[in-house]
Amino acid sequence: MAPVNNNAQINNNESPPKFKVTIIGSGNWGSVAAKLIASNTIKLNSFHDEVKMWVFEETLPSGEKLTDVINRTNENVKYLPGIKLGSNVVADPDLENSVRDANMLVFVTPHQFMEGICKRLVGKIRNDAQAISLIKGMEVKKEGPCMISTLISQQLGVNCCVLMGANIANEEYRDNKEIAEKWVQLFSTPYFMVSPCQDVEGVELCGTLKNVVAIAAGFVDGLDMGNNTKAAIMRIGLKEMKSFSKLLFSSVKDNTFFESCGVADLITTCLGGRNRKCAEAFAKNGGKRSFDELEAEMLQGQKLQGVSTAKEVFEVLKYKGWLEMFPLFTTVHEICVGRLPPSAIVEYSEHAPKFPRVGGPTAFP
């Protein structure tokens, strides 16, 4: 909440200051978030009605600017066609201008762009701003992996929480109860229930790592290996998600993996979604068409997260000497870069992974 100036004279007849929201990102998930948030701000007295959405400007085949079309039609015709966003959503191609008056910042861009975006926003946001990340991914630096929420907090000097979950998001994880409830208000609808929790690292890693497992599931689908094989890959993937997370952050809780952001989101992503879809096509083509080519052809400007995340996870595993402990994560990366054929996704299972025993009685067998 905005800080109170104790030296100012308070007029009891004045309404408390309202929260103003900007969404930084306008892809499929960013547009869905804009629709959810706009439906709530217009009803809640504590929020300004208007929701700004920063749009990376593009020229459509018609010659029109994407921002102009969104503001004219109230629809993101490229990334969420056929869905009205709400008359109170305003698209803005100017990043700095879009955040100028906002004190609630919703980050929802591909993770590989976040460091550059944060650098542009340094000194441009309000002192009382709060942030939330809907971004799945992490930055890998020399000193180790950096979660996106941590990147935002460190570069912008703001408190940042995360929101992840099945079929886009169902769980919000925070360590500040008052602000947590404000975010819950902003996102919750009768068909989109959000609840707060404190395991920030666990939730963010669930949202990040499930895309790597979805790539593996796509390979299985592309090779027509059947549902039993796919279920086995998903089970092993969940084990590796848990072990990797707890090795990086001892604070990660076992029960997080049974929440919406864990097993539910993993199942949803492995049954559908862009990562599984492109990995299936990659395997059907015997790995002869690159993921860059398939992304450009199949996703209409959206970005794959699983392939880049697999590379980042591989870099961490190699640096830490953990490659043998995570055969699925390792194999996914090796297939993505062409060092192994897609069929290796099941062949690796002949070698028992050397899992450290982390966690308590709820650890996976």
Side-chain angles (χ1 to χ4, degrees), residues 235 238-239 242-243 254 257-258 357-358 360-365:
R235 174 183 173 274
L238 187 60
K239 289 178 65 177
K242 175 175 176 289
S243 292
D254 290 328
F257 297 87
F258 296 99
R357 278 299 167 189
V358 293
T362 57
F364 297 115

Side-chain angles (χ1 to χ4, degrees), residues 56-67 78:
F56 180 78
E57 192 65 282
E58 301 178 58
T59 301
L60 300 174
S62 65
E64 292 181 280
K65 299 294 186 183
L66 178 58
T67 300
K78 182 168 184 178

Side-chain angles (χ1 to χ4, degrees), residues 116-191:
I117 288 172
C118 286
K119 287 179 179 177
R120 291 175 59 187
L121 291 179
V122 172
K124 303 293 174 57
I125 64 174
R126 286 173 50 162
N127 292 332
D128 62 341
Q130 295 283 337
I132 189 168
S133 171
L134 280 60
I135 299 167
K136 299 170 175 67
M138 61 183 175
E139 292 278 333
V140 176
K141 302 178 181 294
K142 290 181 180 179
E143 57 271 24
C146 177
M147 304 313 298
I148 298 301
S149 63
T150 303
L151 177 74
I152 293 168
S153 293
Q154 291 177 346
Q155 292 208 12
L156 299 182
V158 298
N159 181 51
C160 184
C161 42
V162 300
L163 183 131
M164 309 279 167
N167 195 24
I168 307 174
N170 259 12
E171 299 288 339
E172 186 181 5
Y173 291 70
R174 306 203 29 82
D175 56 7
N176 182 313
K177 186 176 180 180
E178 185 177 4
I179 295 298
E181 291 305 319
K182 191 59 65 176
W183 287 116
V184 169
Q185 274 188 305
L186 193 61
F187 280 93
S188 291
T189 70
Y191 54 88

Side-chain angles (χ1 to χ4, degrees), residues 211-221 233 279 328 332 345:
N211 286 326
V212 181
V213 185
I215 295 286
F219 292 153
V220 170
D221 287 342
I233 290 293
L328 180 65
V332 168
I345 199 62

Side-chain angles (χ1 to χ4, degrees), residues 31-279:
S31 298
V32 171
K35 177 177 173 60
L36 286 171
I37 290 169
S39 71
N40 283 327
T41 61
I42 206 165
K43 295 182 294 188
L44 297 169
N45 292 331
S46 57
F47 292 91
H48 284 279
D49 289 352
E50 182 182 276
V51 174
K52 281 198 173 180
M53 180 174 71
W54 174 63
V55 176
F56 180 78
E57 192 65 282
E58 301 178 58
T59 301
L60 300 174
S62 65
E64 292 181 280
K65 299 294 186 183
L66 178 58
T67 300
D68 293 338
V69 174
I70 292 173
N71 287 332
R72 176 170 57 80
T73 67
N74 193 229
E75 180 182 330
N76 190 333
V77 295
K78 182 168 184 178
Y79 297 112
L80 194 65
I83 304 296
K84 296 297 181 183
L85 301 180
S87 59
N88 52 328
V89 174
V90 177
D92 189 340
D94 185 324
L95 177 61
E96 291 84 355
N97 185 66
S98 70
V99 304
R100 184 169 291 125
D101 299 322
N103 54 0
M104 297 190 81
L105 304 175
V106 180
F107 288 90
V108 55
T109 67
H111 76 278
Q112 55 265 41
F113 302 139
M114 273 308 300
E115 188 163 17
I117 288 172
C118 286
K119 287 179 179 177
R120 291 175 59 187
L121 291 179
V122 172
K124 303 293 174 57
I125 64 174
R126 286 173 50 162
N127 292 332
D128 62 341
Q130 295 283 337
I132 189 168
S133 171
L134 280 60
I135 299 167
K136 299 170 175 67
M138 61 183 175
E139 292 278 333
V140 176
K141 302 178 181 294
K142 290 181 180 179
E143 57 271 24
C146 177
M147 304 313 298
I148 298 301
S149 63
T150 303
L151 177 74
I152 293 168
S153 293
Q154 291 177 346
Q155 292 208 12
L156 299 182
V158 298
N159 181 51
C160 184
C161 42
V162 300
L163 183 131
M164 309 279 167
N167 195 24
I168 307 174
N170 259 12
E171 299 288 339
E172 186 181 5
Y173 291 70
R174 306 203 29 82
D175 56 7
N176 182 313
K177 186 176 180 180
E178 185 177 4
I179 295 298
E181 291 305 319
K182 191 59 65 176
W183 287 116
V184 169
Q185 274 188 305
L186 193 61
F187 280 93
S188 291
T189 70
Y191 54 88
F192 191 83
M193 301 303 294
V194 180
S195 58
C197 179
Q198 293 185 352
D199 187 6
V200 176
E201 292 83 7
V203 175
E204 195 162 6
L205 279 164
C206 279
T208 296
L209 298 173
K210 55 100 176 181
N211 286 326
V212 181
V213 185
I215 295 286
F219 292 153
V220 170
D221 287 342
L223 296 168
D224 294 322
M225 291 181 171
N227 290 332
N228 287 338
T229 302
K230 187 172 178 178
I233 290 293
M234 291 163 64
R235 174 183 173 274
I236 295 166
L238 187 60
K239 289 178 65 177
E240 292 198 10
M241 287 169 58
K242 175 175 176 289
S243 292
F244 183 83
S245 300
K246 299 204 73 166
L247 281 171
L248 285 183
F249 299 99
S250 60
S251 61
V252 169
K253 298 176 174 59
D254 290 328
N255 65 343
T256 298
F257 297 87
F258 296 99
E259 295 284 355
S260 162
C261 64
V263 64
D265 201 7
L266 177 65
I267 292 169
T268 301
T269 307
C270 289
L271 295 179
R274 68 189 75 161
N275 291 283
R276 188 217 62 81
K277 179 180 178 181
C278 287

